[in-house]
Short mmCIF file of all heavy atoms in Angstrom, two decimals:
data_model
loop_
_atom_site.label_atom_id
_atom_site.label_comp_id
_atom_site.label_asym_id
_atom_site.label_seq_id
_atom_site.Cartn_x
_atom_site.Cartn_y
_atom_site.Cartn_z
N MET J 242 120.03 92.24 89.83
CA MET J 242 119.79 92.51 91.24
C MET J 242 118.37 93.04 91.46
O MET J 242 117.94 93.94 90.76
CB MET J 242 120.80 93.52 91.77
CG MET J 242 121.20 93.11 93.15
SD MET J 242 122.64 93.89 93.89
CE MET J 242 122.59 95.58 93.45
N ALA J 243 117.71 92.46 92.39
CA ALA J 243 116.33 92.89 92.65
C ALA J 243 116.31 94.22 93.42
O ALA J 243 117.23 94.50 94.17
CB ALA J 243 115.60 91.84 93.46
N THR J 244 115.27 94.95 93.17
CA THR J 244 115.12 96.21 93.91
C THR J 244 114.86 95.88 95.38
O THR J 244 114.00 95.07 95.69
CB THR J 244 113.92 97.00 93.36
OG1 THR J 244 113.92 96.89 91.95
CG2 THR J 244 114.02 98.46 93.74
N LYS J 245 115.59 96.50 96.23
CA LYS J 245 115.38 96.21 97.66
C LYS J 245 114.08 96.85 98.12
O LYS J 245 113.76 97.96 97.73
CB LYS J 245 116.56 96.68 98.49
CG LYS J 245 116.74 98.18 98.53
CD LYS J 245 117.78 98.54 99.57
CE LYS J 245 117.92 100.05 99.67
NZ LYS J 245 118.89 100.46 100.65
N PRO J 246 113.37 96.14 98.94
CA PRO J 246 112.10 96.69 99.43
C PRO J 246 112.35 97.92 100.28
O PRO J 246 113.32 97.98 101.02
CB PRO J 246 111.51 95.55 100.27
CG PRO J 246 112.65 94.66 100.59
CD PRO J 246 113.66 94.82 99.49
N ASP J 247 111.47 98.88 100.14
CA ASP J 247 111.62 100.12 100.88
C ASP J 247 111.17 99.93 102.32
O ASP J 247 110.05 100.22 102.69
CB ASP J 247 110.80 101.21 100.20
CG ASP J 247 111.69 102.39 99.84
OD1 ASP J 247 112.73 102.55 100.51
OD2 ASP J 247 111.35 103.11 98.89
N ARG J 248 112.07 99.45 103.11
CA ARG J 248 111.74 99.17 104.50
C ARG J 248 111.41 100.43 105.27
O ARG J 248 110.68 100.40 106.24
CB ARG J 248 112.92 98.48 105.18
CG ARG J 248 113.03 97.03 104.79
CD ARG J 248 113.80 96.34 105.87
NE ARG J 248 113.77 94.89 105.68
CZ ARG J 248 114.26 94.06 106.59
NH1 ARG J 248 114.77 94.54 107.69
NH2 ARG J 248 114.22 92.77 106.40
N ASN J 249 112.01 101.51 104.83
CA ASN J 249 111.76 102.78 105.51
C ASN J 249 110.31 103.20 105.43
O ASN J 249 109.84 103.98 106.23
CB ASN J 249 112.63 103.88 104.89
CG ASN J 249 114.07 103.76 105.33
OD1 ASN J 249 114.37 103.03 106.26
ND2 ASN J 249 114.94 104.48 104.67
N LEU J 250 109.63 102.68 104.42
CA LEU J 250 108.25 103.10 104.21
C LEU J 250 107.27 102.15 104.88
O LEU J 250 106.07 102.28 104.73
CB LEU J 250 107.95 103.17 102.71
CG LEU J 250 108.84 104.14 101.91
CD1 LEU J 250 108.43 104.13 100.46
CD2 LEU J 250 108.79 105.54 102.46
N GLN J 251 107.78 101.19 105.60
CA GLN J 251 106.89 100.24 106.26
C GLN J 251 106.62 100.64 107.70
O GLN J 251 107.53 100.96 108.45
CB GLN J 251 107.51 98.85 106.23
CG GLN J 251 107.30 98.18 104.89
CD GLN J 251 107.45 96.67 105.02
OE1 GLN J 251 108.07 96.16 105.94
NE2 GLN J 251 106.89 95.96 104.07
N VAL J 252 105.37 100.62 108.05
CA VAL J 252 104.99 100.90 109.44
C VAL J 252 104.11 99.77 109.93
O VAL J 252 103.58 98.98 109.16
CB VAL J 252 104.23 102.24 109.55
CG1 VAL J 252 105.13 103.41 109.20
CG2 VAL J 252 102.99 102.24 108.69
N ARG J 253 103.96 99.72 111.24
CA ARG J 253 103.10 98.69 111.81
C ARG J 253 101.88 99.35 112.44
O ARG J 253 102.01 100.26 113.25
CB ARG J 253 103.88 97.92 112.87
CG ARG J 253 103.16 96.67 113.29
CD ARG J 253 103.81 96.11 114.51
NE ARG J 253 105.07 95.45 114.18
CZ ARG J 253 105.19 94.13 114.07
NH1 ARG J 253 104.15 93.35 114.25
NH2 ARG J 253 106.34 93.58 113.81
N CYS J 254 100.74 98.89 112.03
CA CYS J 254 99.49 99.43 112.56
C CYS J 254 99.42 99.19 114.07
O CYS J 254 99.64 98.07 114.52
CB CYS J 254 98.31 98.76 111.85
SG CYS J 254 96.72 99.27 112.49
N LEU J 255 99.12 100.24 114.81
CA LEU J 255 99.07 100.10 116.26
C LEU J 255 97.75 99.48 116.72
O LEU J 255 97.58 99.14 117.88
CB LEU J 255 99.24 101.47 116.93
CG LEU J 255 100.55 102.19 116.63
CD1 LEU J 255 100.59 103.50 117.39
CD2 LEU J 255 101.74 101.33 117.00
N ASN J 256 96.85 99.34 115.81
CA ASN J 256 95.54 98.78 116.15
C ASN J 256 95.52 97.27 115.95
O ASN J 256 95.16 96.52 116.84
CB ASN J 256 94.47 99.46 115.31
CG ASN J 256 93.08 99.07 115.74
OD1 ASN J 256 92.79 99.00 116.93
ND2 ASN J 256 92.23 98.79 114.78
N CYS J 257 95.92 96.83 114.76
CA CYS J 257 95.84 95.40 114.47
C CYS J 257 97.22 94.78 114.22
O CYS J 257 97.31 93.59 113.93
CB CYS J 257 94.93 95.17 113.26
SG CYS J 257 95.62 95.77 111.72
N LEU J 258 98.27 95.62 114.31
CA LEU J 258 99.66 95.16 114.16
C LEU J 258 99.99 94.68 112.75
O LEU J 258 101.00 94.00 112.54
CB LEU J 258 100.00 94.07 115.18
CG LEU J 258 99.80 94.47 116.64
CD1 LEU J 258 100.22 93.34 117.56
CD2 LEU J 258 100.56 95.73 117.00
N GLU J 259 99.18 95.05 111.80
CA GLU J 259 99.48 94.72 110.41
C GLU J 259 100.60 95.63 109.91
O GLU J 259 100.63 96.81 110.21
CB GLU J 259 98.20 94.93 109.57
CG GLU J 259 98.40 94.77 108.08
CD GLU J 259 98.33 93.31 107.67
OE1 GLU J 259 98.23 92.43 108.52
OE2 GLU J 259 98.38 93.07 106.45
N ARG J 260 101.52 95.06 109.15
CA ARG J 260 102.56 95.86 108.54
C ARG J 260 102.08 96.33 107.19
O ARG J 260 101.57 95.54 106.41
CB ARG J 260 103.80 95.01 108.32
CG ARG J 260 104.91 95.28 109.24
CD ARG J 260 105.99 94.27 108.96
NE ARG J 260 106.79 94.06 110.16
CZ ARG J 260 107.86 94.81 110.44
NH1 ARG J 260 108.22 95.76 109.63
NH2 ARG J 260 108.54 94.58 111.53
N PHE J 261 102.28 97.59 106.91
CA PHE J 261 101.92 98.08 105.59
C PHE J 261 102.85 99.20 105.17
O PHE J 261 103.58 99.76 105.98
CB PHE J 261 100.45 98.50 105.53
CG PHE J 261 100.10 99.65 106.44
CD1 PHE J 261 100.04 100.93 105.94
CD2 PHE J 261 99.81 99.41 107.77
CE1 PHE J 261 99.69 102.00 106.77
CE2 PHE J 261 99.48 100.47 108.61
CZ PHE J 261 99.41 101.77 108.11
N THR J 262 102.82 99.47 103.87
CA THR J 262 103.72 100.46 103.31
C THR J 262 102.99 101.78 103.12
O THR J 262 101.86 101.81 102.64
CB THR J 262 104.24 99.97 101.94
OG1 THR J 262 104.80 98.67 102.12
CG2 THR J 262 105.30 100.90 101.41
N VAL J 263 103.64 102.86 103.48
CA VAL J 263 103.04 104.17 103.29
C VAL J 263 103.72 104.86 102.12
O VAL J 263 104.83 104.51 101.73
CB VAL J 263 103.16 105.04 104.56
CG1 VAL J 263 102.45 104.38 105.72
CG2 VAL J 263 104.61 105.31 104.90
N LYS J 264 103.02 105.83 101.57
CA LYS J 264 103.60 106.62 100.48
C LYS J 264 104.67 107.52 101.05
O LYS J 264 104.49 108.11 102.11
CB LYS J 264 102.50 107.48 99.86
CG LYS J 264 102.07 107.04 98.49
CD LYS J 264 101.28 108.17 97.85
CE LYS J 264 100.29 107.64 96.84
NZ LYS J 264 99.37 108.71 96.42
N LYS J 265 105.75 107.66 100.31
CA LYS J 265 106.84 108.50 100.78
C LYS J 265 106.35 109.94 100.94
O LYS J 265 105.76 110.50 100.03
CB LYS J 265 107.99 108.45 99.78
CG LYS J 265 109.30 108.81 100.40
CD LYS J 265 110.44 108.51 99.45
CE LYS J 265 111.76 108.74 100.17
NZ LYS J 265 112.89 108.38 99.33
N GLY J 266 106.59 110.52 102.11
CA GLY J 266 106.22 111.90 102.36
C GLY J 266 104.78 112.08 102.80
O GLY J 266 104.35 113.20 103.07
N ALA J 267 104.04 110.98 102.90
CA ALA J 267 102.63 111.08 103.27
C ALA J 267 102.49 111.52 104.72
O ALA J 267 103.29 111.15 105.57
CB ALA J 267 101.94 109.75 103.06
N GLU J 268 101.47 112.32 105.00
CA GLU J 268 101.24 112.76 106.38
C GLU J 268 100.30 111.82 107.11
O GLU J 268 100.28 111.75 108.32
CB GLU J 268 100.68 114.17 106.39
CG GLU J 268 101.73 115.18 105.96
CD GLU J 268 101.19 116.59 105.99
OE1 GLU J 268 100.00 116.76 106.23
OE2 GLU J 268 101.99 117.51 105.77
N LYS J 269 99.49 111.13 106.32
CA LYS J 269 98.60 110.15 106.92
C LYS J 269 98.58 108.90 106.06
O LYS J 269 98.86 108.94 104.87
CB LYS J 269 97.15 110.64 106.99
CG LYS J 269 96.96 112.03 107.43
CD LYS J 269 95.48 112.32 107.49
CE LYS J 269 95.06 113.42 106.55
NZ LYS J 269 93.65 113.77 106.69
N ALA J 270 98.22 107.80 106.68
CA ALA J 270 98.07 106.56 105.94
C ALA J 270 97.03 105.71 106.64
O ALA J 270 96.91 105.73 107.87
CB ALA J 270 99.39 105.83 105.87
N ALA J 271 96.28 104.98 105.85
CA ALA J 271 95.26 104.11 106.42
C ALA J 271 95.72 102.67 106.35
O ALA J 271 96.28 102.22 105.35
CB ALA J 271 93.95 104.29 105.67
N CYS J 272 95.47 101.94 107.41
CA CYS J 272 95.80 100.53 107.44
C CYS J 272 94.87 99.77 106.49
O CYS J 272 93.66 99.95 106.54
CB CYS J 272 95.66 100.01 108.85
SG CYS J 272 95.78 98.23 108.97
N PRO J 273 95.43 98.95 105.61
CA PRO J 273 94.60 98.21 104.66
C PRO J 273 93.75 97.14 105.34
O PRO J 273 92.76 96.67 104.79
CB PRO J 273 95.61 97.58 103.71
CG PRO J 273 96.89 97.56 104.46
CD PRO J 273 96.86 98.70 105.44
N LYS J 274 94.13 96.74 106.51
CA LYS J 274 93.43 95.65 107.18
C LYS J 274 92.25 96.15 108.02
O LYS J 274 91.12 95.69 107.86
CB LYS J 274 94.41 94.87 108.05
CG LYS J 274 93.92 93.50 108.41
CD LYS J 274 95.01 92.76 109.17
CE LYS J 274 94.47 91.46 109.71
NZ LYS J 274 95.47 90.82 110.58
N CYS J 275 92.51 97.09 108.93
CA CYS J 275 91.45 97.54 109.82
C CYS J 275 90.92 98.92 109.43
O CYS J 275 90.00 99.43 110.05
CB CYS J 275 91.93 97.55 111.27
SG CYS J 275 93.19 98.79 111.61
N GLU J 276 91.55 99.53 108.42
CA GLU J 276 91.12 100.82 107.87
C GLU J 276 91.23 101.98 108.86
O GLU J 276 90.61 103.01 108.68
CB GLU J 276 89.70 100.71 107.31
CG GLU J 276 89.67 99.77 106.12
CD GLU J 276 88.29 99.66 105.50
OE1 GLU J 276 87.32 100.04 106.16
OE2 GLU J 276 88.21 99.20 104.36
N MET J 277 92.01 101.79 109.87
CA MET J 277 92.30 102.86 110.81
C MET J 277 93.26 103.84 110.15
O MET J 277 94.20 103.42 109.48
CB MET J 277 92.94 102.25 112.05
CG MET J 277 93.23 103.21 113.14
SD MET J 277 91.84 103.38 114.26
CE MET J 277 92.47 104.67 115.31
N GLU J 278 93.02 105.13 110.35
CA GLU J 278 93.92 106.12 109.76
C GLU J 278 94.96 106.57 110.77
O GLU J 278 94.64 106.86 111.92
CB GLU J 278 93.12 107.33 109.28
CG GLU J 278 92.89 107.31 107.78
CD GLU J 278 92.51 108.69 107.28
OE1 GLU J 278 91.61 109.29 107.87
OE2 GLU J 278 93.12 109.13 106.30
N TRP J 279 96.20 106.69 110.31
CA TRP J 279 97.30 107.07 111.19
C TRP J 279 98.03 108.28 110.66
O TRP J 279 98.17 108.46 109.47
CB TRP J 279 98.28 105.90 111.32
CG TRP J 279 97.67 104.69 111.89
CD1 TRP J 279 97.29 103.57 111.20
CD2 TRP J 279 97.34 104.44 113.25
NE1 TRP J 279 96.74 102.66 112.06
CE2 TRP J 279 96.76 103.17 113.33
CE3 TRP J 279 97.48 105.18 114.42
CZ2 TRP J 279 96.33 102.62 114.53
CZ3 TRP J 279 97.04 104.63 115.61
CH2 TRP J 279 96.47 103.36 115.65
N ARG J 280 98.52 109.06 111.60
CA ARG J 280 99.39 110.17 111.29
C ARG J 280 100.81 109.65 111.16
O ARG J 280 101.29 108.93 112.03
CB ARG J 280 99.36 111.14 112.46
CG ARG J 280 98.98 112.52 112.12
CD ARG J 280 99.04 113.27 113.42
NE ARG J 280 97.69 113.60 113.85
CZ ARG J 280 97.12 114.77 113.58
NH1 ARG J 280 97.77 115.67 112.89
NH2 ARG J 280 95.92 115.02 113.99
N ILE J 281 101.48 110.06 110.10
CA ILE J 281 102.84 109.58 109.87
C ILE J 281 103.84 110.69 110.12
O ILE J 281 103.64 111.82 109.70
CB ILE J 281 102.98 109.10 108.41
CG1 ILE J 281 101.88 108.10 108.04
CG2 ILE J 281 104.36 108.49 108.18
CD1 ILE J 281 101.88 106.83 108.84
N SER J 282 104.91 110.36 110.81
CA SER J 282 106.00 111.31 110.95
C SER J 282 107.24 110.71 110.28
O SER J 282 107.36 109.50 110.13
CB SER J 282 106.28 111.61 112.42
OG SER J 282 106.85 110.50 113.06
N TRP J 283 108.13 111.60 109.89
CA TRP J 283 109.30 111.15 109.12
C TRP J 283 110.59 111.50 109.83
O TRP J 283 110.80 112.64 110.23
CB TRP J 283 109.26 111.77 107.73
CG TRP J 283 108.08 111.29 106.95
CD1 TRP J 283 106.84 111.86 106.91
CD2 TRP J 283 108.01 110.12 106.13
NE1 TRP J 283 106.02 111.10 106.10
CE2 TRP J 283 106.70 110.04 105.62
CE3 TRP J 283 108.94 109.13 105.80
CZ2 TRP J 283 106.31 109.00 104.78
CZ3 TRP J 283 108.54 108.09 104.96
CH2 TRP J 283 107.24 108.05 104.46
N HIS J 284 111.44 110.50 109.95
CA HIS J 284 112.75 110.74 110.54
C HIS J 284 113.69 111.33 109.50
O HIS J 284 113.43 111.27 108.31
CB HIS J 284 113.34 109.40 111.02
CG HIS J 284 112.73 108.94 112.30
ND1 HIS J 284 113.47 108.61 113.40
CD2 HIS J 284 111.43 108.76 112.65
CE1 HIS J 284 112.66 108.24 114.37
NE2 HIS J 284 111.42 108.32 113.95
N ASP J 285 114.79 111.87 109.99
CA ASP J 285 115.78 112.47 109.09
C ASP J 285 116.34 111.47 108.10
O ASP J 285 116.70 111.81 106.99
CB ASP J 285 116.93 113.06 109.92
CG ASP J 285 116.50 114.30 110.67
OD1 ASP J 285 115.45 114.88 110.30
OD2 ASP J 285 117.18 114.68 111.63
N ASP J 286 116.41 110.23 108.50
CA ASP J 286 116.95 109.21 107.62
C ASP J 286 115.91 108.67 106.64
O ASP J 286 116.16 107.72 105.92
CB ASP J 286 117.58 108.07 108.42
CG ASP J 286 116.59 107.43 109.39
OD1 ASP J 286 115.40 107.81 109.34
OD2 ASP J 286 116.99 106.57 110.17
N GLY J 287 114.73 109.26 106.65
CA GLY J 287 113.71 108.87 105.68
C GLY J 287 112.80 107.75 106.14
O GLY J 287 112.06 107.18 105.35
N MET J 288 112.88 107.43 107.43
CA MET J 288 112.07 106.34 107.94
C MET J 288 110.71 106.84 108.42
O MET J 288 110.62 107.84 109.12
CB MET J 288 112.80 105.66 109.08
CG MET J 288 112.28 104.29 109.36
SD MET J 288 113.56 103.34 110.20
CE MET J 288 112.70 102.97 111.70
N ALA J 289 109.68 106.11 108.05
CA ALA J 289 108.32 106.49 108.44
C ALA J 289 108.00 105.92 109.82
O ALA J 289 108.43 104.81 110.17
CB ALA J 289 107.32 105.96 107.42
N LYS J 290 107.23 106.69 110.58
CA LYS J 290 106.81 106.21 111.89
C LYS J 290 105.41 106.68 112.18
O LYS J 290 105.04 107.80 111.84
CB LYS J 290 107.77 106.74 112.97
CG LYS J 290 108.46 105.61 113.71
CD LYS J 290 109.03 106.12 114.99
CE LYS J 290 109.20 104.99 115.98
NZ LYS J 290 109.80 105.45 117.23
N ILE J 291 104.64 105.84 112.80
CA ILE J 291 103.28 106.23 113.16
C ILE J 291 103.31 107.10 114.41
O ILE J 291 103.92 106.75 115.42
CB ILE J 291 102.39 104.98 113.38
CG1 ILE J 291 102.04 104.37 112.04
CG2 ILE J 291 101.13 105.36 114.15
CD1 ILE J 291 101.17 103.14 112.14
N ARG J 292 102.69 108.27 114.31
CA ARG J 292 102.66 109.19 115.44
C ARG J 292 101.45 108.95 116.31
O ARG J 292 101.49 109.06 117.52
CB ARG J 292 102.61 110.62 114.93
CG ARG J 292 103.95 111.24 114.78
CD ARG J 292 103.81 112.51 114.01
NE ARG J 292 103.52 113.64 114.88
CZ ARG J 292 103.21 114.85 114.43
NH1 ARG J 292 103.15 115.06 113.15
NH2 ARG J 292 102.98 115.82 115.24
N GLY J 293 100.33 108.68 115.66
CA GLY J 293 99.11 108.47 116.41
C GLY J 293 97.94 108.46 115.46
O GLY J 293 98.09 108.68 114.27
N PRO J 294 96.78 108.20 115.99
CA PRO J 294 95.59 108.12 115.15
C PRO J 294 95.16 109.48 114.63
O PRO J 294 95.45 110.50 115.23
CB PRO J 294 94.53 107.54 116.09
CG PRO J 294 95.02 107.83 117.47
CD PRO J 294 96.52 107.91 117.40
N VAL J 295 94.49 109.47 113.50
CA VAL J 295 93.94 110.69 112.92
C VAL J 295 92.53 110.87 113.47
O VAL J 295 91.66 110.06 113.22
CB VAL J 295 93.91 110.61 111.39
CG1 VAL J 295 93.24 111.84 110.79
CG2 VAL J 295 95.32 110.45 110.83
N TRP J 296 92.35 111.95 114.22
CA TRP J 296 91.04 112.15 114.85
C TRP J 296 90.14 113.08 114.06
O TRP J 296 88.93 113.04 114.18
CB TRP J 296 91.20 112.70 116.26
CG TRP J 296 91.88 111.75 117.17
CD1 TRP J 296 93.08 111.94 117.79
CD2 TRP J 296 91.43 110.44 117.57
NE1 TRP J 296 93.39 110.84 118.55
CE2 TRP J 296 92.39 109.91 118.44
CE3 TRP J 296 90.29 109.69 117.28
CZ2 TRP J 296 92.27 108.65 119.02
CZ3 TRP J 296 90.16 108.43 117.85
CH2 TRP J 296 91.13 107.93 118.72
N SER J 297 90.77 113.94 113.28
CA SER J 297 90.01 115.00 112.61
C SER J 297 88.84 114.45 111.80
O SER J 297 87.81 115.09 111.67
CB SER J 297 90.93 115.80 111.70
OG SER J 297 91.62 114.94 110.83
N LYS J 298 89.02 113.27 111.28
CA LYS J 298 88.00 112.69 110.43
C LYS J 298 86.72 112.38 111.21
O LYS J 298 85.61 112.61 110.76
CB LYS J 298 88.54 111.39 109.83
CG LYS J 298 87.89 111.05 108.50
CD LYS J 298 88.55 109.80 107.95
CE LYS J 298 87.89 109.38 106.65
NZ LYS J 298 88.48 108.16 106.14
N THR J 299 86.89 111.89 112.41
CA THR J 299 85.73 111.52 113.21
C THR J 299 85.13 112.72 113.94
O THR J 299 83.97 112.74 114.27
CB THR J 299 86.10 110.44 114.24
OG1 THR J 299 87.35 110.76 114.81
CG2 THR J 299 86.16 109.08 113.59
N ARG J 300 85.98 113.74 114.20
CA ARG J 300 85.52 114.89 114.95
C ARG J 300 84.63 115.81 114.12
O ARG J 300 83.66 116.32 114.60
CB ARG J 300 86.71 115.70 115.45
CG ARG J 300 87.12 115.29 116.85
CD ARG J 300 88.09 116.30 117.41
NE ARG J 300 88.65 115.81 118.68
CZ ARG J 300 89.60 116.44 119.33
NH1 ARG J 300 90.12 117.54 118.85
NH2 ARG J 300 90.05 115.95 120.46
N LYS J 301 85.03 116.03 112.86
CA LYS J 301 84.29 116.99 112.05
C LYS J 301 83.11 116.37 111.35
O LYS J 301 83.20 115.28 110.86
CB LYS J 301 85.23 117.62 111.04
CG LYS J 301 85.91 118.81 111.65
CD LYS J 301 86.69 119.61 110.62
CE LYS J 301 87.33 120.81 111.30
NZ LYS J 301 88.17 121.55 110.37
ZN1 LIG K 124 95.29 97.96 111.21
#
């Protein structure tokens, strides 16, 4: 039996709509396609969701 893909770790980039996998427990993740950084939030069931863009990098 093949290992099932970790769908919970997949998010969709809000900038270019690319689907990519984030590290479990990560607070931020960068889209491999457009390199936009996103803040990740985690649901109780372990599902990752994009909260919004990471601004701190550009501000400081
Ligand atoms: Zn993207």
Side-chain angles (χ1 to χ4, degrees):
M242 219 167 40
T244 320
K245 66 170 183 179
D247 237 335
R248 284 203 171 187
N249 284 348
L250 301 181
Q251 280 201 339
V252 294
R253 192 191 285 259
C254 176
L255 300 182
N256 188 43
C257 69
L258 303 182
E259 174 84 354
R260 254 174 206 272
F261 63 98
T262 307
V263 300
K264 252 195 207 169
K265 203 170 187 176
E268 290 181 354
K269 317 182 241 185
C272 171
K274 199 175 172 187
C275 68
E276 295 182 343
M277 183 89 185
E278 259 199 310
W279 299 103
R280 235 180 251 265
I281 308 298
S282 70
W283 295 90
H284 283 234
D285 289 342
D286 57 6
M288 199 158 120
K290 240 197 156 178
I291 285 180
R292 268 168 87 187
V295 176
W296 295 117
S297 53
K298 207 177 177 182
T299 42
R300 266 193 189 174
K301 273 189 179 176

